[in-house]
Amino acid sequence: MTEIKTVKDDLKISGMHCASCAGLVERSLKKTVGVKSVSVNFASEKAQVIYDPTKINLKSLTEAVKKAGYGAEKYQADLAEAGKAEEIKIWQKKFIWSLILSLPFLYFMLGEWLAYLPGGFLKPYQGIISLILAIPIQFVIGAGFYRGFWSSLKMKTFNMDSLIAIGTGTAFIYSLWQLIAYIISNHSLIGLGGDMISGLYFETGAFLITFVLLGKWLEAKAKGKTSEAIKKLIGLQPKTARILKNGQELEVAIDEVKVGDVIIVRPGEKIPVDGILTSGNSAVDESMLTGESLPIEKNIGDSVFGATINKHGSFEFKAIKVGSETALAQIIKLIEEAQGSKAPIQAIADRISAWFVPAVLVVAALTFLVWYFVLAGTLVFSLMAFTSVIVIACPCALGLATPTALIVGTGKGAQNGILIKGGDPLEMAGKIRVMAFDKTGTITIGRPVVTDLILIDDKNEDELLQLVASLENKSEHPLAEAIVKHAEEKKLSLLSVEKFAAIPGRGVEGEINGQKIFVGTENLLAEKNIKASGELLVQKSKLEEAGKTVMIIVIDNQISGLVAVADVIKLEAKEAIAKLKAMKIKTLMVTGDNKRTAAAIAMAAGIEEFEAEVLPERKSEVIKKLQSGKVFVAMVGDGINDAPALAQADLGIAMGNGTDVAVEAGGIVLVKNNLNDVVRAIELSRATMNKIRQNLFWALIYNAIFIPVAAMGLLRAEFAGLAMAFSSVSVVTNSLLLKRKKL
């Protein structure tokens, strides 16, 4: 059976006003043939759609959204950011015009209370002036609310626009009816006897729309701040590159750089794309990528990344990844996908929003009926109570509670080198109770280093290391590499070697300055008829028990020393494990290495339990066994052999220097390869989830308190609109406080 290949696209959605709008867009897309899954995020104004390209295309998806009454186009990060700035300006402009047109209403209201206020001659004209001012506010500036109401009716549902349109429409229609009745009965457009026409409430709808627009403007500004991480990353991308072509330096646009181009970078310049150093050396500031403040030394053969900053020294490098393939572009894509996704807790808000608006309409209708028919309230009072209930209940705050915190949380993580691939892994990180670690490259640095050099004869340490490194420099074995690198770090020059020979499985031999030298195992010693003392063998055994590989050094048939090489634990490993234990998270290590080495590494890191000699395919079985204990399990790894376990775990955490397969399988990627970032990811998750719970609590409490107050007739409709607007702003502001959290 042929597997159906799906495509994932992001759409920029415009015209959404609340969580109900997002639900409306989501439902309209889900009904479209060929769509497999949809996630619409109100805060980021983005829809992630997975669909069958043989049945539907991007154009059809945008048409489906437009039929629901909203705008849609293919999402592009730079255009989306420009669109957000434009949206803020539009809301600001609407609010200012609405405020200007509403100010005369404030003057009319004050005139009722302050008899000495000048302009009393305007009283008879207040009715007709109010109508002239209210029409553009209601039907031009506020037209979007009516369009949204009509769209929701076509989809047989209700949203925030429904509430505003019904509330303001009720006040306007009642006032218009009163004004027309007065004109017909009195044959006059103005108040008779110098008095104003009573029973008009045009100001209610005008102020209500003005306050809602104020809230929308402030909300758009606050939402713009939540995605600052994306804006900063996009701003880091260089615009040009200096390439070397036919011996000439040419400055070209970044889009013209191709894989294989040789690029020149001078001190203080940004590196344009990803590549490999081919000439020169320098120190590069990679803080934008890793969060690490110290510059990283770069030599020939080292990787460099686009948007990082060359501190000193000129160099040339070969372009390996350009455009959307660069590390920066991939990080931007990852954050965009995360910020466009939903955390599972969002389902609570979605379920509430689905029944909330219809329930509010029922409560509002009951409020009117009880006041008018049971409590004998006036028609005006009953209608105003009805309008207040509708307006105060707009579910904006509820819709913003989860996504705004999610956007700030993932952005905060990205700025600290913790890439979180969506709401699901962000929420799951806070629930983890068991943390399983791979050994090599995760707990350990991932390459062998010299740990011990023990002297037997009268040579000093540097002399012995120089001889051993010179001999091992002829070998291609990874352990030999570690010895040579150790000598280079100590700035020891390498000597000329003659008659070199590699003895498979046993060691190497050769002559240096007339001295016969070999470095190898006990078996090689036996072949050379050289006996090791009991004391030497005890020392060797102790080193091996600590998980180290030990080689014996022999010069002119005399044992001169021992050199021990091992893949040592990372400096921060012990600290990170201790912090996890303090957080009541159980830790264990899963490795394919032998039990002796695994035990030594586990003990050094402070991990009490370990599984050794585990084949790659069995790593996922170990995770399954842990999950059978009804606890959430995370796996931290870096290799291809870790990918099945990363995928099986409730949360996969991949080291940033790991294989592409491991990074793909992980829900969280640690760019700095620092184990303390595992702890930071959990702390960030818990802080973000706390913000979401706070937001949901206050959004629901706000409605629980103010809906009854409005139903009792104690809250004017226009003030209900103001309170509703500021409830949304307060939720977004609370989410923004996450930026202050120290990681």
Side-chain angles (χ1 to χ4, degrees):
M1 188 174 175
T2 307
E3 186 181 345
I4 297 171
K5 289 190 176 179
T6 57
V7 172
K8 180 168 75 171
D9 264 320
D10 293 336
L11 299 178
K12 173 79 174 74
I13 309 295
S14 56
M16 292 194 297
H17 296 113
C18 67
S20 298
C21 293
L24 203 59
V25 174
E26 200 164 286
R27 283 199 294 278
S28 65
L29 284 169
K30 280 180 178 175
K31 287 178 182 177
T32 309
V33 176
V35 172
K36 302 296 180 184
S37 70
V38 183
S39 174
V40 179
N41 190 310
F42 169 46
S44 62
E45 297 173 335
K46 190 164 71 169
Q48 285 184 355
V49 190
I50 297 174
Y51 60 94
D52 180 354
T54 63
K55 294 180 180 178
I56 193 170
N57 56 28
L58 197 61
K59 186 179 179 183
S60 302
L61 292 173
T62 58
E63 287 300 322
V65 175
K66 286 171 184 174
K67 280 181 185 175
Y70 301 89
E73 60 185 341
K74 185 169 173 60
Y75 183 89
Q76 292 176 272
D78 50 350
L79 294 179
E81 291 305 321
K84 283 179 184 176
E86 184 61 28
E87 182 193 8
I88 292 169
K89 285 181 184 176
I90 289 169
W91 284 119
Q92 182 186 31
K93 189 177 177 181
K94 283 185 175 182
F95 164 67
I96 290 171
W97 275 110
S98 189
L99 178 64
I100 290 168
L101 292 171
S102 297
L103 285 175
F105 289 116
L106 181 62
Y107 176 80
F108 295 157
M109 289 169 66
L110 290 173
E112 292 181 42
W113 305 326
L114 306 173
Y116 55 82
L117 202 68
F121 67 91
L122 287 173
K123 280 190 176 183
Y125 302 94
Q126 282 183 18
I128 199 69
I129 293 172
S130 295
L131 174 63
I132 292 167
L133 293 171
I135 287 173
I137 296 174
Q138 198 81 36
F139 301 110
V140 179
I141 297 171
F145 300 123
Y146 288 92
R147 284 196 295 269
F149 178 33
W150 176 243
S151 296
S152 67
L153 281 180
K154 286 194 292 183
M155 296 294 291
K156 298 177 183 177
T157 185
F158 296 97
N159 59 10
M160 190 196 91
D161 290 341
S162 309
L163 298 181
I164 294 173
I166 292 170
T168 60
T170 299
F172 181 86
I173 291 167
Y174 174 80
S175 300
L176 182 61
W177 172 54
Q178 287 284 83
L179 179 61
I180 291 170
Y182 183 91
I183 291 169
I184 292 170
S185 61
N186 294 284
H187 304 288
S188 175
L189 286 171
I190 63 172
L192 299 176
D195 291 327
M196 64 180 183
I197 301 170
S198 61
L200 303 183
Y201 294 90
F202 288 116
E203 77 279 358
T204 299
F207 280 129
L208 181 50
I209 287 174
T210 301
F211 290 144
V212 170
L213 292 172
L214 171 62
K216 287 293 172 189
W217 174 39
L218 296 175
E219 184 184 299
K221 286 179 72 176
K223 278 162 65 179
K225 289 181 181 178
T226 63
S227 57
E228 278 180 356
I230 292 268
K231 264 188 276 188
K232 285 178 182 175
L233 288 173
I234 291 171
L236 289 172
Q237 293 175 315
K239 302 293 184 287
T240 60
R242 192 182 299 104
I243 65 171
L244 194 61
K245 209 163 193 176
N246 300 322
Q248 298 289 318
E249 288 185 23
L250 298 173
E251 190 161 321
V252 299
I254 195 75
D255 296 337
E256 294 177 35
V257 178
K258 297 180 180 65
V259 172
D261 282 347
V262 175
I263 299 167
I264 301 166
V265 183
R266 291 174 182 152
E269 291 182 344
K270 281 184 181 178
I271 296 167
V273 295
D274 297 1
I276 303 284
L277 216 71
T278 56
S279 173
N281 59 71
S282 186
V284 176
D285 178 0
E286 295 185 345
S287 57
M288 53 70 54
L289 201 65
T290 65
E292 180 60 56
S293 57
L294 293 175
I296 309 297
E297 293 292 331
K298 298 288 180 180
N299 296 297
I300 293 171
D302 288 341
S303 297
V304 290
F305 302 98
T308 56
I309 301 169
N310 180 28
K311 300 300 283 185
H312 59 77
S314 296
F315 61 84
E316 294 176 7
F317 74 94
K318 183 180 178 182
I320 301 298
K321 291 181 179 178
V322 301
S324 62
E325 298 301 313
T326 64
L328 178 64
Q330 290 298 311
I331 288 171
I332 291 171
K333 183 182 176 185
L334 199 63
I335 301 169
E336 284 173 352
E337 288 182 354
Q339 294 186 346
S341 68
K342 290 183 180 180
I345 197 171
Q346 173 70 37
I348 297 171
D350 289 346
R351 284 197 296 270
I352 292 170
S353 294
W355 60 259
F356 187 76
V357 175
V360 167
L361 290 172
V362 171
V363 171
L366 287 173
T367 298
F368 172 79
L369 294 171
V370 169
W371 273 112
Y372 192 64
F373 293 106
V374 179
L375 301 177
T378 64
L379 178 61
V380 172
F381 184 86
S382 303
L383 281 173
M384 291 301 105
F386 166 85
T387 303
S388 295
V389 170
I390 282 178
V391 172
I392 198 68
C394 287
C396 289
L398 194 61
L400 291 166
T402 298
T404 51
L406 180 65
I407 289 171
V408 176
T410 51
K412 178 79 176 175
Q415 289 170 347
N416 287 273
I418 302 166
L419 301 183
I420 302 165
K421 293 186 181 179
D424 211 339
L426 180 64
E427 182 173 341
M428 180 54 68
K431 298 178 181 178
I432 294 301
R433 289 294 170 266
V434 179
M435 189 75 70
F437 291 90
D438 168 50
K439 179 182 77 71
T440 307
T442 302
I443 295 290
T444 66
I445 61 175
R447 57 180 174 80
V449 296
V450 174
T451 58
D452 302 89
L453 185 61
I454 295 171
L455 308 178
I456 303 296
D457 60 16
D458 57 355
K459 282 189 174 59
N460 67 38
E461 190 174 298
D462 284 354
E463 275 183 293
L464 188 61
L465 177 60
Q466 186 181 39
L467 290 170
V468 174
S470 299
L471 183 62
E472 292 286 8
N473 191 42
K474 296 285 186 179
S475 172
E476 295 177 354
H477 197 282
L479 298 182
E481 226 176 279
I483 295 169
V484 173
K485 189 164 186 180
H486 188 57
E488 288 173 349
E489 286 169 355
K490 297 191 82 171
K491 294 185 168 51
L492 299 175
S493 58
L494 300 182
L495 306 172
S496 176
V497 178
E498 297 174 352
K499 299 180 182 179
F500 174 82
I503 308 161
R506 295 190 293 284
V508 292
E509 64 181 351
E511 287 187 12
I512 300 175
N513 296 332
Q515 295 177 300
K516 290 184 179 178
I517 304 170
F518 73 81
V519 180
T521 63
E522 279 185 65
N523 289 338
L524 188 59
L525 231 64
E527 285 180 18
K528 302 286 184 182
N529 294 316
I530 298 171
K531 286 192 176 180
S533 67
E535 185 184 343
L536 180 82
L537 294 176
V538 168
Q539 283 182 301
K540 180 174 178 286
S541 179
K542 281 182 179 177
L543 291 170
E544 287 172 338
E545 283 171 11
K548 300 172 183 180
T549 300
V550 184
M551 291 164 277
I552 302 168
I553 305 164
V554 176
I555 301 176
D556 290 334
N557 293 326
Q558 295 292 320
I559 295 175
S560 295
L562 301 174
V563 59
V565 177
D567 181 10
V568 296
I569 70 165
K570 293 177 178 176
L571 293 173
E572 76 280 1
K574 195 167 185 176
E575 180 189 2
I577 299 300
K579 286 177 180 176
L580 289 171
K581 286 181 180 177
M583 297 167 87
K584 309 295 182 190
I585 295 173
K586 178 184 173 182
T587 59
L588 79 151
M589 189 174 73
V590 185
T591 178
D593 214 334
N594 63 72
K595 287 184 180 178
R596 186 180 66 186
T597 303
I601 295 296
M603 184 182 291
I607 299 174
E608 286 131 8
E609 294 182 34
F610 66 89
E611 293 267 355
E613 298 172 7
V614 179
L615 296 172
E617 61 269 23
R618 271 205 58 238
K619 282 193 175 183
S620 60
E621 290 175 19
V622 172
I623 300 298
K624 275 185 193 175
K625 186 180 174 184
L626 292 167
Q627 288 170 322
S628 66
K630 305 300 179 189
V631 291
F632 291 112
V633 180
M635 172 72 190
V636 188
D638 73 319
I640 291 173
N641 62 334
D642 298 320
L646 289 168
Q648 173 61 41
D650 297 291
L651 174 65
I653 302 176
M655 307 304 286
N657 66 345
T659 62
D660 290 344
V661 177
V663 170
E664 189 65 32
I668 294 177
V669 180
L670 307 181
V671 177
K672 292 186 284 187
N673 307 301
N674 189 317
L675 287 173
N676 275 321
D677 285 344
V678 173
V679 180
R680 294 186 185 105
I682 292 169
E683 289 175 341
L684 180 61
S685 166
R686 292 180 178 180
T688 304
M689 295 313 297
N690 281 340
K691 282 295 175 196
I692 290 172
R693 291 186 192 100
Q694 288 168 18
N695 288 346
L696 288 172
F697 173 79
W698 288 114
L700 292 170
I701 284 293
Y702 157 83
N703 283 301
I705 292 172
F706 282 102
I707 288 176
V709 170
M712 288 187 286
L714 300 175
L715 190 65
R716 285 180 65 106
E718 55 268 37
F719 294 128
L722 187 62
M724 179 273 291
F726 278 101
S727 71
S728 299
V729 175
S730 66
V731 162
V732 179
T733 304
N734 187 45
S735 295
L736 287 169
L737 292 176
L738 260 178
K739 288 188 173 187
R740 296 184 179 180
K741 175 154 183 72
K742 290 184 179 178
L743 293 178

